[in-house]
């Protein structure tokens, strides 16, 4: 008599996201226990609750939130996981806060490969470890095939800003020096190159990276930082335009001093993009009083050696009668107003 195979074989472990993973029942629990916890860390028994009780830091709490829908999920120089962690902690750092805790919501599309999800989670964990933050709470939802695009992540971050640290557009003063922490536009061009299957000279990698150590170093050194802004989807142009308007101040930049790598410049020319409007994910602009400018350049160069900071311009003067302008001095000695892009330059970039 031969062995009779089981009539109803137990299914093996799933390799892809199924609708049942979003049901909130056993499958959801197994997804969390088998995929999320082994990478992100298992909360202690007492902490398995509807929220995470965290310890307060020193100073005042700062909260931020962001969603990440980048396509493709993996790109030269980064991936959606790294982008999510760094994007969130960078926003906290721009307020002068030390990031402590993150939460993450995952919108998963039916059919998304679990191995890809594990890759993203490993990347998030590594990024969180690099900046010393903990991912303390999370959620997963599943949407039907065709109703998402594999994976979207929403993140919130909690950090603490020391008493006495006040960083924001209102503090930008005439005479402030405006320092860009490195070459701009690499994230946008790296994503564009992958999507369009372009072979660009110079193998452009995203600048996706953390800015926490740069800001910490500036504050530790006692630099009187007036304003910080990370350059993201609207690039340098949007960041400056917002600060000029919100601070009611005119800003003036030397076009030739804005750092753009030859590869990014070439691609921007090819597609007709203004380099200053190209997305970045690991660059900042700092406004500091002139007496602190040299020290700021030095500190930024040692905190992020792959970036070459430049003093690109200066805050020119208060405007009271209308919102501030960003003026670009061209190589020909003329001046033009730098405006942010009107709509979407590149969709799904972060
Ligand atoms: Mg920001």
């Amino acid at each position: 008599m031969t062995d009779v195979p089981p009539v109803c074989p137990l299914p093996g472990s799933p390799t892809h996201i199924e609708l049942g993973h979003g049901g909130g029942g056993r499958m959801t629990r197994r997804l969390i226990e088998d995929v999320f916890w082994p990478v992100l860390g298992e909360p202690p028994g007492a902490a398995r609750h509807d929220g995470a009780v965290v310890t307060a830091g020193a100073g005042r709490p700062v909260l931020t939130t962001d969603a990440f829908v980048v396509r493709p999920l993996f790109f030269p120089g980064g991936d959606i996981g790294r982008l999510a962690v760094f994007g969130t902690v960078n926003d906290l750092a721009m307020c002068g806060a030390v990031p402590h805790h993150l939460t993450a919501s995952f919108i998963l599309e039916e059919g998304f490969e679990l191995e890809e999800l594990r890759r993203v989670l490993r990347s998030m964990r590594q990024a969180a470890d690099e900046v010393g933050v903990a991912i303390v709470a999370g959620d997963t939802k599943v949407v039907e095939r065709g109703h998402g695009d594999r994976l979207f992540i929403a993140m919130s971050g909690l950090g603490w800003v020391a008493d006495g640290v006040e960083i924001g557009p209102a503090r930008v003063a005439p005479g402030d020096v405006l320092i860009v922490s490195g070459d701009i536009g690499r994230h946008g061009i790296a994503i564009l190159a992958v999507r369009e299957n372009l072979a660009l000279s110079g193998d452009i990698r995203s600048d996706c990276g953390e800015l926490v150590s740069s800001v910490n170093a500036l504050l530790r050194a006692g630099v009187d930082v007036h304003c910080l802004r990370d350059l993201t989807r609207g690039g340098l142009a949007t960041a400056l335009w917002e600060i000029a308007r919100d601070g009611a101040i005119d800003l003036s930049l030397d076009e030739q001093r804005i750092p753009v790598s030859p590869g990014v410049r070439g691609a921007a020319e090819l597609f007709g993009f203004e380099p200053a409007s190209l997305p970045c994910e690991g660059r900042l602009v700092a406004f500091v009083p002139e007496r602190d400018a040299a020290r700021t350049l030095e500190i930024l160069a040692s905190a992020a050696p792959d970036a070459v900071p430049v003093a690109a311009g200066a805050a020119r003067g208060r405007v009271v009668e209308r919102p501030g302008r960003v003026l670009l001095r061209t190589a020909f000695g003329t001046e033009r107003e730098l405006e942010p892009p009107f709509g979407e330059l590149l969709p799904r970039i972060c």
Side-chain angles (χ1 to χ4, degrees):
M1 195 178 160
T2 54
D3 286 340
V4 179
V7 178
C8 180
L10 285 170
S13 293
T15 56
H16 293 71
I17 289 291
E18 299 171 19
L19 280 176
H21 283 126
R26 282 176 198 272
M27 279 184 75
T28 306
R29 180 74 184 197
R30 279 196 61 184
L31 177 72
I32 291 167
E33 287 182 358
D34 295 351
V35 179
F36 283 83
W37 284 354
V39 184
L40 297 183
E42 186 176 335
R48 292 177 197 178
H49 198 18
D50 279 351
V53 179
V54 298
T55 314
R60 295 154 293 160
V62 180
L63 271 170
T64 189
T65 191
D66 215 333
F68 299 87
V69 299
V70 66
R71 182 173 60 83
L73 296 178
F74 299 88
F75 48 83
D79 58 74
I80 190 171
R82 231 172 146 67
L83 197 67
V85 170
F86 289 157
T88 308
V89 296
N90 286 351
D91 277 345
L92 293 172
M94 295 307 107
C95 304
V98 177
H100 281 208
H101 298 98
L102 300 177
T103 69
S105 283
F106 297 83
I107 316 292
L108 303 154
E109 185 190 13
E110 181 190 7
F112 180 49
E113 307 85 341
L114 285 179
E115 200 38 54
E116 295 280 275
L117 177 59
R118 285 194 182 93
R119 261 181 84 191
V120 171
L121 295 175
R122 282 194 293 268
S123 183
M124 289 177 85
R125 175 63 193 265
Q126 196 192 334
D129 287 349
E130 282 173 33
V131 283
V133 291
I135 300 169
V136 293
D139 183 47
T140 57
K141 293 287 182 331
V142 177
V143 294
E144 309 95 307
R145 202 180 290 270
H147 289 252
D149 190 3
R150 308 178 74 206
L151 171 66
F152 299 144
I153 301 174
M155 279 213 114
S156 293
L158 171 67
W160 296 81
V161 59
D163 289 328
V165 174
E166 296 292 343
I167 295 174
R171 284 204 65 213
V172 175
D176 274 3
V177 177
L178 194 160
I179 293 168
V180 181
S181 71
D183 66 310
I184 60 169
R186 279 206 258 142
H187 181 68
I189 297 299
I191 297 272
L192 181 74
V194 182
R195 277 201 213 147
E196 304 295 322
N197 220 348
L198 298 176
L200 294 173
S201 61
D203 181 29
I204 297 163
R205 295 169 65 79
S206 166
D207 48 37
C208 174
E210 59 90 11
L211 298 166
V212 177
S213 36
S214 296
V215 176
N216 282 348
L218 289 174
L219 294 177
R220 257 202 321 270
V223 171
D224 183 16
V225 181
H226 285 173
C227 188
L228 293 168
R229 188 63 53 91
D230 56 337
L231 312 181
T232 52
R233 38 185 173 175
L236 179 67
T238 302
L240 294 181
W241 183 74
E242 285 177 355
I243 291 168
R245 287 174 78 93
D246 296 340
I249 198 160
D250 276 349
L251 306 174
S252 175
L253 284 91
D254 268 326
E255 188 167 29
Q256 286 170 296
R257 296 191 72 176
I258 298 175
V260 186
S261 72
V264 168
R265 190 176 296 286
E269 268 167 27
L270 192 68
F271 286 88
F273 292 140
E274 164 77 68
S277 294
L278 285 172
C280 314
E281 283 294 340
R283 299 288 183 255
L284 62 79
V285 59
F287 291 77
V288 296
E290 201 176 354
R291 64 174 185 280
D292 282 340
R295 207 148 48 112
T296 300
L297 284 166
E298 215 172 279
I299 290 166
L300 290 179
S302 62
D306 74 314
V308 181
V310 288
R316 207 144 78 161
R318 290 274 176 216
V319 284
V320 282
E321 69 283 4
R322 68 181 200 86
R325 296 169 301 165
V326 182
L327 301 160
L328 218 50
R329 284 190 307 278
T330 69
F332 312 105
T334 55
E335 207 170 49
R336 68 183 170 99
E337 197 167 335
L338 183 65
E339 300 257 21
F342 181 73
E344 187 80 284
L345 202 66
L346 291 165
R348 306 272 306 275
I349 199 80
C350 59

